[in-house]
Amino acid sequence: MITGEQLRAARAMLKMEQGELAELSGISIETIKRLERMDGVLNAQAATLYSLQKVLEGEGVIFLPENGNLPGLKLRRDPPPAIRTRKKRGEA
């Protein structure tokens, strides 16, 4: 289960705009905004959460299970090329 905090943090770690996540996942930007405003476990259709998680994991995010009631995430040690490209564009 993904939390609103994890969704916001994953996107921030990837330097990904909401519009880009919407485009890659096929989920509307308004839905992403609504989910990111939520605290705790996201209340959405399973297909929506699956699409978001699949895109974020494909970009290099690893979702960590709850550990002491605190879910988390991290980036893969060797991120895929898309992340490296996104960072280069942002470094200009």
Side-chain angles (χ1 to χ4, degrees):
M1 301 299 284
I2 301 174
T3 67
E5 295 86 354
Q6 284 177 305
L7 182 59
R8 290 188 302 269
R11 199 174 52 75
M13 289 175 73
L14 294 170
K15 296 180 169 71
M16 180 183 288
E17 299 292 329
Q18 289 173 329
E20 185 177 2
L21 180 56
E23 184 179 318
L24 292 171
S25 67
I27 305 301
S28 76
I29 193 167
E30 292 306 317
T31 297
I32 292 170
K33 287 178 181 182
R34 180 180 56 82
L35 293 173
E36 286 190 355
R37 286 190 302 263
M38 291 182 179
D39 290 326
V41 176
L42 295 176
N43 183 16
Q45 293 184 3
T48 298
L49 298 177
Y50 175 77
S51 293
L52 292 170
Q53 184 170 350
K54 182 178 176 183
V55 166
L56 294 168
E57 287 176 340
E59 291 291 315
V61 170
I62 298 172
F63 289 91
L64 303 173
E66 287 191 18
N67 181 11
N69 204 25
L70 297 171
L73 54 93
K74 65 180 182 177
L75 288 178
R76 289 195 316 239
R77 187 173 297 275
D78 181 27
I83 294 173
R84 291 189 292 271
T85 302
R86 187 176 303 109
K87 286 182 180 177
K88 287 179 185 173
R89 283 194 310 245
E91 289 176 355

